[in-house]
Amino acid sequence: EAKLSSAGSCLVYSSMLAERTRQRMQISQGLHRAIAKGELSLRLQPIVNPTNGHIVAAELLLRWHPATGEVPPAVFIPIAEATGTIIGIGDWVFAQACEIEARWRQRWGDAAPAYLAVNLSPRQLNKSSIDGDFAAMIERSGARPERLQLEVTETALMADVEANLSVLRRLAALGMPIAVDDFGTGYSSLAQLTRMPVSVLKVDRAFVASLDQQPENRAVVHAIVSLGRALGLTLVAEGVETPAQLDEMLTQGCSLAQGYLFYRPMELDAFDRAIEQQLCERSTRA
Ligand code: C2E
Ligand code: MG
Ligand code: MG
Ligand code: MG
């Protein structure tokens, strides 16, 4: 009887695996044509100054909506990375980022958001022409590189320190600030971190969320934030959902925050309206 049921669960397991493989193949084939078919779009999530709630910057987030229905980035990005399609997609995202930044300046001049953060995949960092390609896109669009922040996850950063060091130095030399995304999850060594041309740490959402449930994590968050401050970096709290989490992150010393407590990722025109409204409120108060 035991034998039968284990054979049974084995069958279930292998058909689940087959289904997963089929899904991944479907996704990777679909992604291949996603740009040409116009199935990719972007959202902007505001990054705020938590002391007054003002939007100071934004993160650009990718969305994919094939005819079969929207697929979340947590599903398609790892597949795009595994198959290499993230390189073409990443170039598309960066070109869009340049256009958005240039448009911000045209519309709002010095009152435009301070920067636009763009996520970079480790596969993009491996492409030796990335700095030249990005420089050309910046040049063509008229975007200001100081206002395009590149986010690299701590895990990706630390996976190949020597190679990343050289490519990040070349990207930083173009004027773009570099942020470590999902910081706290990747076991950086302090020595390695100080060698990186990094100016921002984004404290991973998991740590921010854990403040409510596991008070022991306050010590960990405290250590992360103190480290960043000691290195003179800007600290951004990610995924802030509650006022209690915000209070704690402020007490610890984060100067910027991002999360559903303030804004969800929004369509580009909704973001524009939020900036317009903020400018309007400021001018009536002045
Ligand atoms: P990330 O860079 O850490 O982006 C933050 C993610 O947290 C976003 O999910 C955002 O919607 C979500 N988030 C923000 N605030 C909250 C909150 O208060 N609560 C919760 N529960 N979630 C919050 P999203 O848009 O699904 O993106 C997931 C990941 O996909 C990103 O994590 C990033 O690693 C990757 N990604 C997104 N766009 C791109 C892209 O253009 N290129 C690359 N390479 N990766 C991207
Ligand atoms: Mg990010
Ligand atoms: Mg993040
Ligand atoms: Mg994340």
Side-chain angles (χ1 to χ4, degrees):
E1 196 189 346
K3 215 175 181 178
L4 242 183
S5 81
S6 97
S9 62
C10 202
L11 265 178
V12 170
Y13 183 65
S14 73
S15 79
M16 270 169 58
L17 267 183
E19 172 63 16
R20 237 177 85 88
T21 307
R22 198 187 57 78
Q23 259 175 11
R24 287 178 64 92
M25 278 183 58
Q26 216 173 43
I27 288 173
S28 77
Q29 281 162 6
L31 272 173
H32 212 70
R33 313 229 349 107
I35 299 177
K37 289 166 90 179
E39 293 170 347
L40 296 179
S41 69
L42 296 161
R43 298 287 181 275
L44 286 170
Q45 186 176 28
I47 296 169
V48 305
N49 172 349
T51 61
N52 58 16
H54 286 168
I55 299 173
V56 301
E59 178 174 2
L60 194 59
L61 295 163
L62 186 60
R63 296 290 178 265
W64 179 37
H65 28 80
T68 45
E70 184 161 333
V71 183
V75 173
F76 76 79
I77 287 183
I79 296 172
E81 271 170 2
T83 58
T85 44
I86 194 68
I87 291 173
I89 291 173
D91 280 346
W92 180 83
V93 171
F94 189 78
Q96 301 290 312
C98 290
E99 279 177 31
I100 292 168
E101 201 293 313
R103 205 160 60 227
W104 281 357
R105 184 175 37 160
Q106 264 177 16
R107 283 183 79 150
W108 300 308
D110 289 340
Y115 65 88
L116 176 59
V118 185
N119 292 286
L120 279 194
S121 117
R123 284 296 284 260
Q124 289 175 274
L125 293 178
N126 287 339
K127 190 177 69 162
S128 58
S129 64
I130 185 176
D131 55 326
D133 295 348
F134 279 13
M137 289 189 247
I138 290 167
E139 177 77 29
R140 219 177 297 137
S141 63
R144 290 164 296 182
E146 325 79 65
R147 296 195 171 222
L148 292 167
Q149 187 172 103
L150 301 177
E151 293 191 2
V152 182
T153 67
E154 185 187 20
T155 314
L157 197 65
M158 295 302 159
D160 190 349
V161 172
E162 295 309 321
N164 288 338
L165 198 55
S166 109
V167 67
L168 288 178
R169 280 182 180 151
R170 283 184 282 129
L171 289 168
L174 296 175
M176 291 181 282
I178 313 285
V180 185
D181 202 353
D182 303 347
F183 190 72
T185 58
Y187 310 100
S188 298
S189 91
L190 179 55
Q192 303 293 25
L193 191 64
T194 58
R195 296 173 67 203
M196 294 285 174
V198 157
S199 49
V200 176
L201 294 183
K202 299 189 79 174
V203 180
D204 191 64
R205 181 156 65 83
F207 287 106
V208 176
S210 73
L211 289 172
D212 293 345
Q213 282 96 36
Q214 295 153 266
E216 321 82 85
N217 270 320
R218 290 184 63 193
V220 178
V221 171
H222 182 75
I224 292 171
V225 174
S226 310
L227 165 65
R229 285 163 58 96
L231 297 175
L233 308 178
T234 299
L235 281 128
V236 183
E238 285 194 301
V240 177
E241 293 185 354
T242 69
Q245 289 167 355
L246 178 64
D247 276 356
E248 186 61 33
M249 295 310 288
L250 277 172
T251 306
Q252 300 286 357
C254 285
S255 56
L256 295 173
Q258 181 179 356
Y260 296 171
L261 177 64
F262 299 100
Y263 297 96
R264 294 194 171 240
M266 48 174 96
E267 308 254 354
L268 272 56
D269 53 350
F271 181 83
D272 285 358
R273 286 195 298 275
I275 297 292
E276 294 286 352
Q277 190 188 335
Q278 184 167 297
L279 291 175
C280 191
E281 280 164 11
R282 257 189 234 176
S283 66
T284 48
R285 221 179 302 119

